[in-house]
Amino acid sequence: MSTPARADGPPAAHGQADGPPAAHAHADGPPAAHAHPAGPPAAHAHADGPPAAHAHPAGPPAAHAHADGPPAAHAHAAGPPAAHAHAADHAVRRQRHDSGERPFIVIWESTRACPLACLHCRAEAVPDRDPRELDTAAARDLLRQVAAFGHPAPLFVITGGDPFQRPDLTELVAYGKEIGVRVAVSPSGTPTLTARRLRELHTAGAVGLSLSLDGSTAAIHDTFRGVPGVFRWTLDAWDAARALGMKVQINTTVTRHNLHDLPDIVRLVADHGAMLWSAFFLVPTGRGRGLGALTPGEVEDVLNFVHDVGLTVPAKTTEAHHFRRVALQRHVLAATGDDHATVLGLGPLYRELSERAAELGLNSEARQVRRVRRPPLDVNAGRGFVFVSHTGTVHPSGFLPLGAGSVRETPLTEIYRASELFNGLRDADRLGGRCGACEFRRVCGGSRSRAYGVTGDPYAEEPWCGYVPGSFPRRRELAALLEESRAQQGS
């Protein structure tokens, strides 16, 4: 059997990382994400998701997003695959609603103010709040615009910067609950993240919380975050949130600083307990431009590692949409009995991560508490995902600094449904390069944010994907799975 070919692809750019806690209403917790793009408003986000940048006036808001959002509940996502579910459902989940009519998740960069100095920050966050931020009245109006998408409303993730820098945070969470909008929060790990503040959020109705964990030790995490003590503050907040019964999503920015620490991070997540672990792959925005890029081969190795640990912790990726391709490939290979490492041509990094995971017992029956893996959700920039900056500008993602309007002037429903930018990004036939020729393009689509960050073209091929279209050897089995997925999408 031949091994799928890999393209070298251009060196990837340096991205950012966190993601907003996404909320899986009927499934696992949502991914959240703080993103800080150089252009758009930032939002800490790992959304399938999801699973996440701080944007600048010129660009969209960033989001802490590991792209699917804090652990809330995927309101429109399908729940875990049931026994009677189709084979495609076990590999990739579809949104329950038409992604052209309503997003699965709305990320709001509530402020750019943040006391941290994270190496990857897209928003290049600052100590003080911007006077152009949406004030309380405008923020309440934004929540009403989200509710206007219909019931159930999209998950609304409040990120930053650090949303705790806003004195009206609890008031806005409570107002969201009052009008039927589920609100999750993606704060920074600072001294403001206290048990008292978390209790106030929980009482107000916050459905989830996403926290960033970029190392298994204080030395690794605090160096990346730029402030001593962040690791301890994060663990304390994690414990406090769990004690309150809040859903917690943990977001990890995957960069060279922690590449070999990933199994130890997963062990910490498994030991501590979380609704979701989201691996965020950098996008070249903000401070993240200075971080070294991974090679497509390394990304492939990490994506397969994330898939492997999915029986130990619910796992997703942010800004690595080809994880859905990996999920489909691994589904086929598991059914045919082929050795995935050989067929997919996985490299030494995959072997190293797998060996360390085995040393930590992550693959033991005692650790593998999940009956099935959490299938990744089919969400992408502008296709189920929308980002609103601190000033109200609207973007397909917190990492994609292209604007489509402002919620101060045009309803969010109209921008999402009718803008040329959003409709273009939802059209897989507009993709170029290998993405345009790929058999997985309608279920993957690549990171439009990274394509734009590296090439200036949001429709260019995904720079961090090395897959050569048509090279997967089990074509017949794959074609049947993709056809089933397309049929479900059209139903």
Side-chain angles (χ1 to χ4, degrees), residues 42 63 104 114-115 125 148 185 187 239 249 267 274 287 298 311 321 332 372 420 426 448 456 458 470 483 485:
F104 162 73
C114 182
V185 180
D239 288 340
Q249 175 178 306
R267 181 179 67 171
R287 296 181 191 136
E298 288 171 329
L311 291 178
H321 303 287
V332 169
V372 292
E420 181 180 352
R426 291 193 282 263
R448 299 301 93 218
E483 180 56 36
S485 179

Side-chain angles (χ1 to χ4, degrees), residues 295-312:
T295 67
E298 288 171 329
V299 170
E300 203 74 14
D301 286 352
V302 174
L303 293 179
N304 276 273
F305 166 75
V306 174
H307 182 273
D308 289 346
V309 299
L311 291 178
T312 301

Side-chain angles (χ1 to χ4, degrees), residues 322-342:
H322 37 318
F323 184 55
R324 296 194 285 273
R325 180 215 354 120
V326 168
L328 289 166
Q329 290 174 318
R330 293 290 298 270
H331 185 89
V332 169
L333 295 176
T336 59
D338 295 310
D339 178 68
H340 65 275
T342 300

Side-chain angles (χ1 to χ4, degrees), residues 116-129:
L116 301 185
C118 304
L119 297 178
H120 69 290
C121 182
R122 310 160 207 180
E124 298 180 272
V126 295
D128 302 316
R129 294 178 59 193

Side-chain angles (χ1 to χ4, degrees), residues 238 242 264-274 312-313 362 367:
W238 191 350
R242 297 257 307 156
D264 291 85
I265 292 174
V266 172
R267 181 179 67 171
L268 190 58
V269 173
D271 289 345
H272 229 64
T312 301
V313 296
L362 295 180
R367 285 284 193 181

Side-chain angles (χ1 to χ4, degrees), residues 58 62 137 159 208 213 227 246 251 259 264 288 315 350 368 442:
T159 182
L213 184 71
V227 175
M246 298 183 74
N251 302 322
L259 200 56
D264 291 85
Y350 177 72
Q368 293 183 339
R442 298 189 189 282

Side-chain angles (χ1 to χ4, degrees), residues 146-420:
V146 173
F149 278 106
H151 181 77
L155 172 68
F156 187 74
V157 178
I158 302 178
T159 182
D162 180 14
F164 277 140
Q165 302 302 308
R166 289 190 62 117
D168 59 356
L169 176 61
T170 302
E171 174 188 341
L172 295 175
V173 171
Y175 182 67
K177 180 180 180 181
E178 178 185 333
I179 63 173
V181 175
R182 294 163 309 113
V183 180
V185 180
S186 183
S188 299
T190 71
T192 63
L193 193 58
T194 64
R196 178 183 64 81
R197 299 294 300 275
L198 290 174
R199 189 177 305 110
E200 291 172 353
L201 284 181
H202 182 60
T203 301
V207 297
L209 182 79
S210 70
L211 300 170
S212 296
L213 184 71
D214 301 307
S216 64
T217 66
I220 299 173
H221 181 81
D222 290 357
T223 297
F224 188 74
R225 293 285 157 179
V227 175
V230 176
F231 182 75
R232 185 69 260 164
W233 295 329
T234 299
L235 293 186
D236 289 345
W238 191 350
D239 288 340
R242 297 257 307 156
L244 289 168
M246 298 183 74
K247 297 174 181 177
V248 178
Q249 175 178 306
I250 299 300
N251 302 322
T252 298
T253 301
V254 179
T255 65
R256 294 209 175 278
H257 92 284
N258 65 358
L259 200 56
H260 304 284
D261 190 41
L262 292 176
D264 291 85
I265 292 174
V266 172
R267 181 179 67 171
L268 190 58
V269 173
D271 289 345
H272 229 64
M275 170 170 286
L276 187 66
W277 175 58
S278 178
F280 173 78
F281 289 73
L282 282 177
V283 173
T285 55
R287 296 181 191 136
R289 293 181 184 277
L291 297 176
L294 303 182
T295 67
E298 288 171 329
V299 170
E300 203 74 14
D301 286 352
V302 174
L303 293 179
N304 276 273
F305 166 75
V306 174
H307 182 273
D308 289 346
V309 299
L311 291 178
T312 301
V313 296
K316 69 174 283 295
T317 61
T318 297
E319 292 300 338
H321 303 287
H322 37 318
F323 184 55
R324 296 194 285 273
R325 180 215 354 120
V326 168
L328 289 166
Q329 290 174 318
R330 293 290 298 270
H331 185 89
V332 169
L333 295 176
T336 59
D338 295 310
D339 178 68
H340 65 275
T342 300
V343 173
L344 300 177
L346 302 182
L349 176 60
Y350 177 72
R351 290 193 293 274
E352 177 188 331
L353 296 176
S354 299
E355 289 170 0
R356 179 56 179 163
E359 291 173 6
L360 296 173
L362 295 180
N363 299 324
S364 66
E365 289 187 8
R367 285 284 193 181
Q368 293 183 339
V369 297
R370 297 175 58 79
R371 180 175 56 85
V372 292
R373 289 178 175 83
R374 172 189 179 276
L377 180 64
D378 184 9
V379 170
N380 207 329
R383 180 162 59 83
F385 192 101
V386 60
F387 180 86
V388 181
S389 77
H390 66 295
T391 61
T393 55
V394 179
H395 310 267
S397 164
F399 306 91
L400 182 53
L402 295 175
S406 170
V407 296
R408 296 181 189 270
E409 302 165 357
T410 308
L412 183 60
T413 50
E414 181 178 334
I415 295 173
Y416 182 82
R417 292 166 179 166
S419 79
E420 181 180 352

